[in-house]
Structures are given as C-alpha cells and as structure tokens.
Amino acid sequence: MSASTRQDVTRGIWAALASFTLWGVAPLYWHLLKHVPSLQIVLHRVVWSALLVGAFLTWRDGRHWLRLALTGAPRLRAMLLLSSLLIAFNWGLYIWAVNAGHVVETALGYFINPLLNVVIGVLFLRERLRPLQWLSVAIALVGVLWLTWQYGRPPWIALALAASFGLYGVLRKLAHVDAVTGLGIENAYLVLPALAALLWLHGAGLGYTSTGPGDTATFALLVLSGLITALPLIGFAYAVRRVSLTVVGVMQYIAPTLQFLIGVLIFDEPFDRVRLLGFLCIWVALAVFMADGLRHTRRQRQAALADLA
C-alpha cells in the first residue's frame, strides 16, 4: 500500500469516526429542541438539509446534477420517492422518541438494524445466510421476545426504526446512485411539501420563527439541524469509498452505543436487569454476527491470494 493510499484510508477512518460519533451524540442536540413539536423539527430538517446538500452537489457536480441524476430513469425516481418517505418517517419517529424519553429504545433499534438487514436481504434480495448468521438472528429474536414478554408489548419504537431504515437501505442498494446524490434527490421530493407546511404553520401562528430572544436561538438550532443531517451522511459517503465495508460495519456500532450511554447516564432513563437481559441477547447476536463476518472476509482474502499465487 502506497503512502498516498494509506493516507486516504486514514482520512476515511476519521470521516467514518466523525460521522458515527455525530450520529451518536445527536440526541443531545434534539433534546435542545424538546419544546418544538417533532413534526416541525422534521420539516425544518428537510428544508435546511435540502439547501445544504443541494449546495454541496452543485459545487461538486454542477448545477444540473438533479436533472442528470433523474434523466430517463423512472424506476429510480419511484424508488427514491419511496425511500424519501421512509427516511422522513424514520427521522420523525426518532426525534419524537428522543424527546419523549425513549433514547435507550432508539439505540436498541439501531443495534437491531444490521441483523434486520440480514433478514430483509433474505426476503427481498434472495440472499443466503451462513449458519452463524442464522444463529445471530435467532439470538436477537430471543432478546426481542424477552423484552416483549417482560414489558407486555413489543419494543415498537426500536422495531419501527430498524424496519424503516432497513427498507430504506434496500431501496438505496437497488437505486444506482451515490449516497449524497440520492439524499439530494430525496430532499428534492420532500422540500416543497415541507416548505409549504412550514409556511402554513407560520401563517397560523404555530411556527417557530426568530421573533424573540428565545425563538431566535430555537430558529438557529432548527437551521443547524440541516447541518446535523447532511454532514455525517457526506462524511459516511466519503468514508465508504476509502475504507473497507468490514471496518465501517464494525464502526457503525459507535452511534447506538453512544445513544445508549446518553439515555442511561445523562437522561437517566430506566434500565433495570430485565431490560439488560434483552440487550445482552442483542449484543451477543451482534458479536456472533461480526465474528462471522470477519472470518468470512478473512477466508475470501486468503482464497484471493491463493488464486494469485
């Protein structure tokens, strides 16, 4: 590996670390907007993210990026329209859950997500699972069933977050467009309805605007929500082009781990032994899943080297 390549990989690792850390501490930011209805936060998030991502893509690809991305691709448009609705639902549920005191359950959702992605791959992409992957899914299912039995209800927030993001991932995998361009197109679908809704709320006297000291600070936080949305996605897109997916896959657990710690240690959400047992099942399942992935990657590399010899 050349010095320039090593430097590129190092930059990619730092970009991934920054992205996952920002996603992990995001509950602290959304908590500052606890007094704003979740729907309004999402609307602002869409509008300001659309402006920032659109500006970035215009700088990177020129002002015709949206037309070029969509020309002659009706299937792509349909998939990105559906993915935009899924990510908007995911954002809305996540922000509501954080500000309603369910940060620990949102963390559970993002711990479950990689395992649910495996199941979605089997159902929608006809992928085959290795025995240890089946084992990890089974252990995770035991954890979810345990939490359901103990609390008298399934962990709906965690499951809905994992399912919506998992289905979003399937659509983005099938849509042949890079991560940032895809986000820009998704935002383009959402921005006009979001802007119209914000203008209506403002006209009805229900929106948060910069009309007073408190509202000015709130409005500034809402504007910066676009940055909080766009930066980690751009950093993630930068990282996956330079770092192996195995490394990125392991690093992704930084985000839910930080969310979990924030929920328990800072927001003082309840976390007793009953809930711990359910989380332990999920964590064991993840450990099995990652160990199998690392072993499979190592075998593929050894086989590739053997073919070259």
Side-chain angles (χ1 to χ4, degrees):
M1 183 185 294
S2 66
S4 61
T5 303
R6 284 197 299 269
Q7 189 177 45
D8 223 27
V9 170
T10 300
R11 288 174 178 171
I13 290 174
W14 279 110
L17 179 62
S19 296
F20 290 126
T21 301
L22 192 54
W23 275 325
V25 300
L28 296 173
Y29 188 88
W30 304 123
H31 193 70
L32 296 175
L33 290 165
K34 190 174 183 178
H35 56 291
V36 181
S38 298
L39 176 60
Q40 288 193 43
I41 299 176
V42 174
L43 294 175
H44 275 278
R45 188 176 184 179
V46 169
V47 169
W48 300 113
S49 175
L51 290 174
L52 287 167
V53 174
F56 172 81
L57 288 170
T58 301
W59 169 78
R60 191 187 73 176
D61 301 332
R63 59 192 178 120
H64 302 300
W65 63 268
L66 182 59
R67 178 176 58 82
L68 293 172
L70 292 176
T71 299
R75 185 168 178 266
L76 177 64
R77 291 197 297 269
M79 285 193 292
L80 290 176
L81 174 59
L82 183 55
S83 68
S84 70
L85 297 175
L86 282 169
I87 199 62
F89 169 79
N90 184 273
W91 287 351
L93 179 60
Y94 175 73
I95 291 170
W96 172 84
V98 166
N99 288 339
H102 301 293
V103 175
V104 170
E105 193 168 340
T106 66
L108 176 63
Y110 292 112
F111 278 125
I112 292 174
N113 179 247
L115 300 170
L116 188 62
N117 284 343
V118 172
V119 177
I120 290 174
V122 171
L123 295 177
F124 293 96
L125 304 177
R126 297 180 180 179
E127 295 179 355
R128 292 172 177 255
L129 298 189
R130 297 184 294 274
L132 283 178
Q133 288 179 314
W134 278 117
L135 177 61
S136 65
V137 171
I139 295 171
L141 180 61
V142 169
V144 172
L145 291 175
W146 170 261
L147 292 172
T148 300
W149 179 53
Q150 290 296 327
Y151 287 93
R153 64 169 181 85
W156 290 118
I157 295 171
L159 293 174
L161 285 173
S164 59
F165 201 72
L167 292 172
Y168 173 79
V170 170
L171 289 170
R172 292 303 304 271
K173 181 179 178 67
L174 296 174
H176 298 293
V177 61
D178 76 79
V180 183
T181 303
L183 177 64
I185 297 170
E186 288 166 348
N187 281 333
Y189 284 128
L190 297 172
V191 67
L192 289 180
L195 187 59
L198 284 174
L199 290 174
W200 181 86
L201 289 168
H202 176 68
L206 301 173
Y208 281 83
T209 58
S210 54
T211 56
D215 286 339
T216 301
T218 295
F219 187 71
L221 289 172
L222 289 170
V223 171
L224 287 174
S225 69
L227 200 63
I228 298 298
T229 299
L231 276 182
L233 283 167
I234 292 172
F236 178 76
Y238 178 91
V240 294
R241 293 178 182 176
R242 293 160 176 82
V243 183
S244 74
L245 290 178
T246 302
V247 174
V248 174
V250 173
M251 292 180 71
Q252 73 176 323
Y253 297 111
I254 293 172
T257 300
L258 289 174
Q259 292 169 10
F260 170 78
L261 293 173
I262 287 170
V264 174
L265 301 178
I266 297 179
F267 294 157
D268 200 27
E269 292 185 13
F271 190 75
D272 53 21
R273 292 181 180 178
V274 170
R275 188 174 294 190
L276 175 61
L277 286 175
F279 269 75
L280 281 174
C281 287
I282 305 297
W283 291 333
V284 169
L286 289 174
V288 172
F289 180 77
M290 287 190 294
D292 176 73
L294 291 170
R295 187 181 68 167
H296 183 68
T297 301
R298 191 181 305 113
R299 286 182 175 178
Q300 285 183 321
R301 287 177 180 172
Q302 290 173 347
L305 290 173
D307 290 339
L308 292 173

